[in-house]
Amino acid sequence: MTGWVAVAGLGPGADHLITPEVTSALAEATDVVGYIPYVARIAPRRGLVLHPSDNRDELERALAALTMAAQGKRVVIVSSGDPGVFAMAAALFETLEAHPAFAQTDIRILPGITAMLAAAARAGAPLGHDFCAINLSDNLKPFDMIAHRLRHAARGGFAMAFYNPRSAARPHQFARVLDILREECGPDRLILFARAVSTPDERLHSVTLAEARPEMADMRTLVILGNAATRRVGQWIYTPRSALS
Amino acid sequence: MTGWVAVAGLGPGADHLITPEVTSALAEATDVVGYIPYVARIAPRRGLVLHPSDNRDELERALAALTMAAQGKRVVIVSSGDPGVFAMAAALFETLEAHPAFAQTDIRILPGITAMLAAAARAGAPLGHDFCAINLSDNLKPFDMIAHRLRHAARGGFAMAFYNPRSAARPHQFARVLDILREECGPDRLILFARAVSTPDERLHSVTLAEARPEMADMRTLVILGNAATRRVGQWIYTPRSALS
């Protein structure tokens, strides 16, 4: 039996948002590796070994997956959302580049419903026009670069989706992000805080930038800032297809 | 029986990329409306009426769906990819805003695998760092705005995904887009042309900006431009999680 690695997106949380392609890969797998809460979503079964690991171990996890595939195992690396958006797919290719011995590995990336699309769908259509996706974690980039990108995204008239807005390790940074956005976009711009979308803990909350507070976000929150034309209709928030900004 | 409208994303083409949530909604529907090739993907069955329509009829299609729901029908508006990304969800809310009589309609937006995520997955992980999604169709915005956004996205160091890059109605515009990108990003930046991803017509082709030609794209092509750090490893293209640009 030839081994392989699939990097699979589990979507935001609900089972009904997992693609059949991912479900099939999990059914064929001998081993599942990933961050502890994502591996916890996989039902145990005979013949499947689960390998949960801590969030900071992404390169070790990728190396373990490639090593097991070389031994003939069928390995699924699970990511939340989509594996190509601030998740494990890039970490796997970084590892592949650093370890040419694994160059011939059979690799597949299986897309998933990323958090911004799930959050947008629950809120209406705030990403209905051009938008950016920005990872606010500064683990892998300096805050100055985040600020630079926020300003260009704002001046380009983009809506924005923010991943990893806030953590205990950097509680003040998201306050600086909101200050920059208020400076660039004004107080009336709509901002959506979507927490744990599609899970029992789901909570959506939308306010103007003037009303936005850092504590409205945590690491389970996906934040979407509208563009200048984003508006409410009833309970919904949407961005028209025509550009006004 | 109470009527409803669901706006459902069918993903890029393959059935194994349709979420179970969308499949369930289609199983409960009495009526499916949408652009002709998307409705053609829905299997006919007794009790289901298919309403294919032309691509330019988005607001009429949304109004027809709201009207049928008010009559007690269970209506799915089908979109390719994700309904919130350059698709029918925003058109539905525009229609809802213009027709307050439908304000109480039971509406759900069901996310799907949007083309850029499917294309990125087939190519590797080119969207592994901050990125923008830009609709290059100028039906609903002037080209000057597109150019303005391209320059801000480039100067912000974003990777970019381009929807609707080229059509028979505006064959020269994508050449201008490539000129702007070469000017802003230089000749060596990697660009991916991903056509009809997940269908039998799938074709992936990646080159440098110096080598890119407008005819490499058509309206079934999703184009992804890497950021300054995007690179090849074997057959794959990926963008490292660490920021170099």
Side-chain angles (χ1 to χ4, degrees), chain A residues 58 97 130 141 238 241, chain B residues 58 97 130 141 238 241:
Chain A
E58 289 167 336
E97 188 173 3
D130 301 334
K141 64 186 166 190
Y238 85 99
R241 300 162 305 146
Chain B
E58 289 167 336
E97 188 173 3
D130 301 334
K141 64 186 166 190
Y238 84 99
R241 300 163 305 147

Side-chain angles (χ1 to χ4, degrees), chain B residues 64-79:
Chain B
L66 291 167
T67 303
M68 286 191 283
Q71 295 162 351
K73 293 182 175 171
R74 304 184 294 278
V75 185
V76 177
I77 303 176
V78 287
S79 278

Side-chain angles (χ1 to χ4, degrees), chain A residues 75-208:
Chain A
V75 185
V76 177
I77 303 175
V78 287
S79 277
S80 176
D82 179 87
V85 178
F86 314 130
M88 278 300 298
L92 180 69
F93 292 115
E94 288 173 35
T95 305
L96 196 68
E97 188 173 3
H99 297 272
F102 296 114
Q104 299 308 315
T105 308
D106 179 357
I107 292 172
R108 286 176 300 154
I109 311 298
L110 311 183
I113 303 292
T114 186
M116 67 180 166
L117 299 187
R122 294 294 287 166
L127 303 177
H129 202 60
D130 301 334
F131 63 93
C132 298
I134 301 176
N135 186 354
L136 292 182
S137 168
D138 60 0
N139 290 338
L140 293 162
K141 64 186 166 190
F143 186 78
D144 283 353
M145 174 176 291
I146 294 174
H148 175 79
R149 289 192 174 159
L150 293 174
R151 292 190 191 280
H152 276 292
R155 292 172 193 178
F158 290 95
M160 301 176 215
F162 301 120
Y163 286 73
N164 305 315
R166 196 155 180 264
S167 76
R170 44 190 173 81
H172 304 300
Q173 181 176 302
F174 188 56
R176 293 170 64 192
V177 168
L178 290 176
D179 286 341
I180 291 169
L181 295 176
R182 275 188 282 264
E183 196 181 312
E184 294 285 341
C185 306
D188 299 328
R189 185 70 58 93
L190 288 174
I191 186 168
L192 168 74
F193 296 87
R195 183 170 191 278
V197 166
S198 88
T199 79
D201 301 327
E202 176 176 305
R203 202 173 67 89
L204 266 71
H205 184 52
S206 59
V207 297
T208 65

Side-chain angles (χ1 to χ4, degrees), chain B residues 152-209:
Chain B
H152 275 294
R155 292 172 194 179
F158 290 96
M160 301 175 214
F162 301 119
Y163 286 72
N164 305 314
R166 196 155 181 265
S167 75
R170 44 189 173 81
H172 305 299
Q173 181 175 303
F174 188 56
R176 294 171 62 192
V177 167
L178 290 176
D179 285 341
I180 290 169
L181 295 176
R182 275 188 281 263
E183 195 181 313
E184 294 286 342
C185 306
D188 299 328
R189 186 69 60 93
L190 288 174
I191 186 168
L192 167 74
F193 296 88
R195 185 170 190 277
V197 166
S198 88
T199 79
D201 300 328
E202 175 175 307
R203 201 172 68 89
L204 267 71
H205 183 52
S206 60
V207 297
T208 64
L209 269 181

